[in-house]
């Protein structure tokens, strides 16, 4: 069967692949806390040096780009969030947390969530199941030790979701995942058609800064969108979520968004959001808990 091409699969085979991890019931609540019109979930993937390290790149140039995220980007992000009183979720590879334990403490002290994002931003699809599991368990223990709280959720590195990721997520007892893209609103994950109790806080590449603003001098990635134009896309995403009474979720990276001109665009976006009545800012963990209880 493994030697067959997709067009040779029988229905049981292709349905089996599709149904392995699937969107279940919608967890969009009838209302948000306090009668809010929209929920806003801001998140930051604090990858820092793990972006080059995951590929075995150890030279100072690439590592310094990651170091910028912790040294300059994260403090700017924290100041901006404090200015607007916004709680956020910081998804952090364990190696990044070990390199910057003070940053983890700063997140916690400011009331933000620290959640899982792999060990060294590894690519789960290239790992054996036992390797993926061992790294996940080690990462959870590391973040708990550094942050003082067991992580409630996970975002897989590069949103790389293997055939075994959901089972590992359930073994860890995590409340939610934020790596998949089947809806704009939260939903429950199914495993082979069965409800899992795991909440999905969905992501999307159009609500991520990296596709618009990443630079790789040795590859094809080149920043092709001015920061304010990227923020205009996110503003439209927020406006439609507000109109529908749903969730606006955004994924950013301190080493990407944390540069001065890009922070200016993020500041404009937050100013736009904050000008609306009935905005509920919450961490991914808080939203996952709320929708599970109120959907």
């Amino acid at each position: 069967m493994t030697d067959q091409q997709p067009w040779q699969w029988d229905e049981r085979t292709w349905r089996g692949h599709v149904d392995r991890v699937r969107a279940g019931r919608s967890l969009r609540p009838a209302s948000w806390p306090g009668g809010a019109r929209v929920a806003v979930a801001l998140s930051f993937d604090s990858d820092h040096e793990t972006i080059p390290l995951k590929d075995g790149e150890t030279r100072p140039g690439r590592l310094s780009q990651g170091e910028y995220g912790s040294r300059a980007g994260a403090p700017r992000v924290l100041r901006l969030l404090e200015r607007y009183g916004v709680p956020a979720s910081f998804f952090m590879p364990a190696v990044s947390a070990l390199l910057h334990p003070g940053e983890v403490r700063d997140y916690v002290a400011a009331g933000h969530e620290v959640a899982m994002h792999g060990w060294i931003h590894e690519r789960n699809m290239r790992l054996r199941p036992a390797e993926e599991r061992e790294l996940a368990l080690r990462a959870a223990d590391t973040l708990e030790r550094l942050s003082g709280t067991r992580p409630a959720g996970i975002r897989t590195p590069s949103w790389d979701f293997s055939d075994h990721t959901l089972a590992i997520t359930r073994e860890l007892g995590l409340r939610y995942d934020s790596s998949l893209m089947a809806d704009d609103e939260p939903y429950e994950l199914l495993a082979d058609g069965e409800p899992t109790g795991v909440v999905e806080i969905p992501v999307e590449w159009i609500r991520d800064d990296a596709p618009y603003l990443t630079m790789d001098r040795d590859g094809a990635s080149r920043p092709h969108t001015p920061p304010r134009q990227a923020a205009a896309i996110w503003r439209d995403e927020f406006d439609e979520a507000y109109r529908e009474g749903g969730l606006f979720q955004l994924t950013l990276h301190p080493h990407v968004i944390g540069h001065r001109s890009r922070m200016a665009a993020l500041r404009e976006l937050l100013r736009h959001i904050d000008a609306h009545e009935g905005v509920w800012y919450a961490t991914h963990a808080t939203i996952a808990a709320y929708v599970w209880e109120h959907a």
Side-chain angles (χ1 to χ4, degrees):
M1 187 67 68
T2 57
D3 294 330
Q4 288 185 323
Q5 296 298 324
W7 59 85
Q8 297 173 313
W9 291 342
D10 59 21
E11 182 172 349
R12 180 180 179 182
T13 300
W14 53 257
R15 283 195 183 277
H17 290 306
V18 170
D19 289 341
R20 182 170 292 116
V21 178
R22 199 74 166 158
R25 65 187 177 109
S26 174
L27 296 177
R28 176 175 173 172
S31 62
W32 297 109
R37 175 70 181 178
V38 67
V40 173
L42 298 186
S43 63
F44 297 85
D45 293 358
S46 299
D47 302 326
H48 306 334
E49 293 92 340
T50 64
I51 295 299
L53 285 175
K54 74 173 186 292
D55 293 323
E57 174 57 73
T58 59
R59 293 177 177 83
R62 288 290 306 281
L63 290 172
S64 71
Q65 286 182 290
E67 186 179 12
Y68 183 95
S70 181
R71 184 181 178 89
R76 285 193 182 118
V77 166
L78 285 171
R79 289 194 296 270
L80 184 63
L81 295 175
E82 182 181 14
R83 175 180 175 181
Y84 284 93
V86 175
S89 298
F90 288 84
F91 294 87
M92 204 165 192
V95 167
S96 183
L98 288 166
L99 285 168
H100 308 285
E103 183 181 332
V104 179
R105 292 192 292 270
D106 289 344
Y107 293 155
V108 174
H112 302 300
E113 175 191 7
V114 178
M116 292 180 62
H117 198 44
W119 175 255
I120 196 169
H121 212 278
E122 63 277 0
R123 292 179 171 88
N124 288 341
M125 297 291 288
R126 299 183 183 179
L127 299 177
R128 293 188 294 271
E131 290 176 325
E132 182 181 356
R133 178 183 180 274
E134 194 275 330
L135 290 175
L137 269 61
R138 196 196 316 170
D141 290 344
T142 299
L143 289 186
E144 181 178 18
R145 175 168 57 84
L146 294 175
S147 72
T149 302
R150 190 72 173 175
I154 185 170
R155 173 171 294 154
T156 58
S158 302
W159 305 341
D160 200 8
F161 206 99
S162 81
D163 289 341
H164 311 283
T165 300
L166 181 53
I168 295 168
T169 297
R170 298 177 74 182
E171 180 182 350
L172 284 167
L174 297 174
R175 181 185 297 273
Y176 75 90
D177 173 76
S178 185
S179 315
L180 301 176
M181 313 180 197
D183 205 326
D184 298 303
E185 308 299 336
Y187 56 89
E188 183 179 8
L189 288 176
L190 303 180
D192 296 317
E194 296 298 322
T196 64
V198 177
V199 177
E200 182 64 33
I201 307 294
V203 293
E204 229 301 326
W205 292 112
I206 58 175
R207 298 191 311 273
D208 186 305
D209 58 356
Y212 304 107
L213 303 173
T214 296
M215 169 67 186
D216 180 1
R217 71 184 182 90
D218 295 321
S221 296
R222 293 288 187 274
H224 62 276
T225 307
R228 281 185 171 83
Q229 288 187 15
I233 296 171
W234 304 331
R235 186 175 64 240
D236 288 343
E237 284 281 322
F238 166 79
D239 288 347
E240 288 302 300
Y242 189 85
R243 183 182 65 81
E244 295 176 357
L247 170 68
F248 171 68
Q249 185 277 341
L250 186 64
T251 302
L252 304 168
H253 301 74
H255 73 280
V256 177
I257 202 69
H259 291 270
R260 291 165 174 163
S261 60
R262 297 168 178 185
M263 288 299 295
L266 179 57
R267 187 164 54 248
E268 285 189 2
L269 175 65
L270 285 181
R271 188 180 300 126
H272 173 77
I273 293 172
D274 210 51
H276 290 70
E277 296 290 335
V279 175
W280 180 48
Y281 298 104
T283 67
H284 286 48
T286 300
I287 289 173
Y290 181 84
V291 300
W292 184 256
E293 292 295 327
H294 294 87

